Each structure stands twice: as C-alpha cells, then as structure tokens.
Amino acid sequence: MLRSLVGSEMCIRDRVSTQSTGGVRIAWMEEWQYPDWEGESPRKPTQLWKTNDAKAQKEGGRKTIYSSVKAMGRPKDQYTGEWHGNKKEGMGTQIFKNQDRYVGTWANGKRDGQGEYYKMVNGQLFKSYSGEWKDGARHGRGMLFGKDGELYDGAWVNGRRHGEGKQTYANGDVYEGRWCDHQRHGWGRVTMNSGDIFEGHFLEDKKEGSGTYYYMSKQKRMDGEWVADSCTCGVLSHFELDANADPSTCPPRYGQDTSKRLPQLGLKDAHGLLQGCLVRVKQERGAVRLLKTPVEEIFVPEDLDQLVACFNTIAEHDRRSGGYITVQSVQDAVDQLGIEVSQEHVDSAVGALGVKDGVDMESFCRIIALCVSE
C-alpha cells in the first residue's frame, strides 16, 4: 500500500512484512521515510513498539492508573492525578490496597508538599495526618490524629516528631515543648488531667534535669533535680493560687484536716545542704544528659560555629587526619575560646564522657559544654 503526498518533499510507505518461524506467521509494520527530492539519505524505520511506548508514557493530567497484581481480583493501588516524566507530580489522590488514601501534592513520585492521609477503619475513613510532607515522609508542620482523642500538632523531621510541638494524650494529659527523634526532649510543660503541672527539662521522654512540679490540689510545689521521672533532690514549698481566679475552677484545698498537715521541720544550713545536693546530682548526670543530646540542641548556632572554627584550627595545627584532635589539645582550645577552666576540670570532663584517644568534633563540643556547666 502506497500513499503519495502531492506537493510534499516526502513520501511515507506503510509496509506490512511477514515472516514464517516454525509454522507461525509473524507480521509487523514498519514506517519508512523516503529521501527528499534533493537526494537526502533515508532515515531508519521507527519501530512500532517505540511509538506505542511513547504514547503510554504518563505526562500531565491523567485518569486513574491501576497498579498491576499477579492474581486476578486482588485489591490494587489506584492513583488519579498529575504526572511528569512518568512519575507522580503535582496534585493527586492515591488509594492504597488497604483502602487508606492520600490526597495532596506529589514530587518525583513521592508525597511532597501539603497533603492529608486517611486510614480505613471498619469501613470508614478517618483522617490520620494533615500537614506537610517531604520525600514521602511527614516533614514540616503537621497534625497527627490518634485514637481516643490523641492529637499531635507540631514540627516533623523525616517522619518523626522533632522540634516544637503539642501532644494531647488519650488520658487528658497535655505536653507542650521540645521534641527530638519522636520523644520529649528539652524544655517542656505537662498539664495533667488532675490539674497538676510540671515545667522543666526532659530527656528521652522522661523528666531529667531542673524542673518544678506543682501539686495544685495541695498548693505545694517541688523544685529540684529530676532523674528518670523522679525528683532526687529538691525543695517542697507552699504557694498561693491566684486570688482573682474563679473559685469553681480551683481544685479543692488540701490540709483542712489537721491530721494530714505536714509537720514543721527545720535544718541547719538548709540552703547549703540543698545546693551541695543539687551540684552532686548535676555532676553525676551531666555527662549522661550531654551524651544523649544532639550537639545542635546544646549550643545556639553562633556559638556552635565558633566551636567548629576553633576545632578546625587546632586540628590543622596538630596535623591530624580524620577530623580528630588530641586530648592534650583540648586545653589549648579552651584557652583560645577564652573560657577559664582548669586542666583538672577538662580532664574530669574528658573522663566523664568516656573520651580516650582522639577527640572528634561532637566530643569536643560536649567537653566544652560540661566544663562550662560545672
């Protein structure tokens, strides 16, 4: 079959070729382009599978695309939305095999940008997360909805709670403060469902460091040092509620029964005894707390930049490779930073942090932090 384009410089011939292979007759179609009238050499034929494959490439707005499965009748993933370069890009909706679904923006084939994730529970869809995404994980600002009224509203990094955030628990407790790698870490405030309040520091999801616990019904407060959720050293004192507060919102007074009142006790040099106890606890737990805290959480960016510059200067002077300096050089770095710390304190900090041979950048920062805190 031959088609001629009158007045054109090109003729196209569609030829159906056949070939016999083992008694089976195979047919295919080739597209030939004739040379132009000036004697141009003919181009190679375009294979039909390439033409069909180009048509199958996903680009721009598309209807629903189903994933392939081996067994017929099994649930399939479904995606309806925009594509670019054969990857999900732009606005789209993904329905997963378990009927969970994501509605939001995509980039490079992954959830990226603003979007909402819904979970299928007993035949009903419930919103699980609403917020920002990056590379397929929760990243940025977002809200996570849990069971029995649980809710987290705050910052996310690589799918984990990290930064400032507020968590409401199923029992009614509310935590507001810092998070690190999905755990309460840093300064925070917990308001219990009983009305009691704790304000202080957390480490790996437990009270650790300086903090104050307010026993609202007793009008007592405990100020002290906390270790693994327990106050190991502190002062219990009385405080008054706001006189202008609505009485109906205040918890019932404790101590109206004289048999339950705390006895009056006195200590000689109570202030000195307390200070000594606090110093001892801080010394014992200081290295543990620093080892479990990221360097970025210990120093502000300006101070951290100064420490890095000092470390690099010492490392270049020591001519040591691999990003290490000697333990003896730490004292020189302390002097360069203008910190008045004795060699004894430096050696004590090095031993407490378990540093033996070379000192890397993170260990150096923790040594400085421990020296300053003491």
Side-chain angles (χ1 to χ4, degrees):
M1 178 174 58
L2 180 64
R3 293 181 297 168
S4 299
L5 301 179
V6 180
S8 173
E9 296 183 353
M10 183 176 294
C11 291
I12 301 177
R13 181 181 66 179
D14 295 336
R15 185 183 66 183
V16 177
S17 302
T18 60
Q19 180 180 352
S20 296
T21 304
V24 179
R25 191 173 181 84
I26 302 175
W28 69 90
M29 180 177 290
E30 297 178 346
E31 295 181 1
W32 289 86
Q33 292 182 341
Y34 278 103
D36 61 18
W37 303 114
E38 297 180 358
E40 236 181 59
S41 60
R43 299 178 183 177
K44 293 182 178 180
T46 302
Q47 295 174 318
L48 187 59
W49 72 268
K50 290 185 178 180
T51 304
N52 294 334
D53 184 68
K55 295 178 181 179
Q57 297 303 306
K58 295 179 282 291
E59 184 75 25
R62 288 267 178 164
K63 295 183 179 179
T64 303
I65 304 296
Y66 297 89
S67 64
S68 61
V69 294
K70 295 181 179 180
M72 296 296 293
R74 291 181 58 188
K76 301 179 181 180
D77 289 345
Q78 305 175 25
Y79 174 78
T80 304
E82 299 176 302
W83 298 79
H84 178 69
N86 220 30
K87 294 182 179 180
K88 301 165 190 171
E89 187 88 18
M91 191 67 186
T93 299
Q94 174 90 35
I95 302 178
F96 300 92
K97 297 176 183 178
N98 59 0
Q99 297 305 304
D100 289 356
R101 68 181 59 193
Y102 168 80
V103 181
T105 56
W106 300 74
N108 199 30
K110 297 180 180 180
R111 289 168 285 192
D112 199 292
Q114 197 73 24
E116 296 182 344
Y117 192 94
Y118 297 84
K119 279 186 170 293
M120 180 67 72
V121 180
N122 297 328
Q124 290 186 334
L125 281 174
F126 293 90
K127 185 183 292 185
S128 174
Y129 175 80
S130 176
E132 296 176 301
W133 301 75
K134 183 178 180 182
D135 291 333
R138 296 186 285 260
H139 191 96
R141 188 79 184 184
M143 300 175 66
L144 179 67
F145 303 87
K147 298 180 180 179
D148 301 323
E150 286 196 352
L151 171 65
Y152 172 78
D153 183 5
W156 296 81
V157 174
N158 296 326
R160 305 183 73 80
R161 291 171 287 189
H162 193 98
E164 292 289 336
K166 178 180 179 180
Q167 174 74 51
T168 302
Y169 298 93
N171 64 355
D173 293 352
V174 178
Y175 170 80
E176 298 178 76
R178 297 287 300 176
W179 295 78
C180 181
D181 196 24
H182 230 40
Q183 294 180 322
R184 295 176 295 183
H185 195 111
W187 193 91
R189 172 191 173 104
V190 180
T191 303
M192 286 72 168
N193 58 1
S194 62
D196 293 349
I197 297 173
F198 173 80
E199 293 181 342
H201 290 83
F202 288 80
L203 181 67
E204 294 185 336
D205 223 33
K206 296 181 179 180
K207 304 179 189 72
E208 180 81 33
S210 301
T212 301
Y213 194 104
Y214 296 89
Y215 300 90
M216 301 302 292
S217 62
K218 304 176 183 179
Q219 291 187 221
K220 302 291 181 181
R221 57 180 290 174
M222 173 67 77
D223 299 88
E225 280 290 316
W226 297 72
V227 176
D229 268 345
S230 299
C231 185
T232 59
C233 179
V235 175
L236 184 66
S237 58
H238 180 79
F239 72 92
E240 294 292 340
L241 295 171
D242 186 0
N244 298 323
D246 184 359
S248 62
T249 63
C250 298
R253 286 292 302 271
Y254 175 84
Q256 295 177 352
D257 185 350
T258 57
S259 64
K260 295 184 178 180
R261 290 179 182 173
L262 293 175
Q264 297 295 322
L265 300 177
L267 288 174
K268 182 179 181 180
D269 192 18
H271 180 74
L273 179 63
L274 176 63
Q275 287 300 113
C277 182
L278 292 174
V279 170
R280 176 179 57 80
V281 174
K282 288 181 179 179
Q283 288 177 343
E284 291 176 352
R285 298 294 296 177
V288 176
R289 296 168 184 173
L290 285 173
L291 284 171
K292 295 182 178 181
T293 303
V295 173
E296 296 78 9
E297 298 286 333
I298 301 175
F299 297 98
V300 297
E302 295 78 9
D303 291 343
L304 186 58
D305 291 341
Q306 186 177 357
L307 290 174
V308 172
C310 179
F311 178 85
N312 291 335
T313 301
I314 297 296
E316 183 178 356
H317 180 268
D318 287 352
R319 297 181 179 179
R320 291 175 63 93
S321 60
Y324 289 87
I325 64 175
T326 62
V327 175
Q328 293 76 15
S329 299
V330 175
Q331 184 63 50
D332 297 335
V334 170
D335 296 337
Q336 286 190 18
L337 293 169
I339 303 174
E340 296 183 359
V341 178
S342 65
Q343 182 66 50
E344 181 181 356
H345 277 94
V346 173
D347 294 339
S348 175
V350 170
L353 292 169
V355 180
K356 296 181 179 180
D357 299 326
V359 180
D360 60 12
M361 179 61 210
E362 290 195 356
S363 297
F364 172 72
C365 292
R366 291 189 172 93
I367 290 172
I368 298 299
L370 190 57
C371 290
V372 172
S373 64
E374 291 180 353

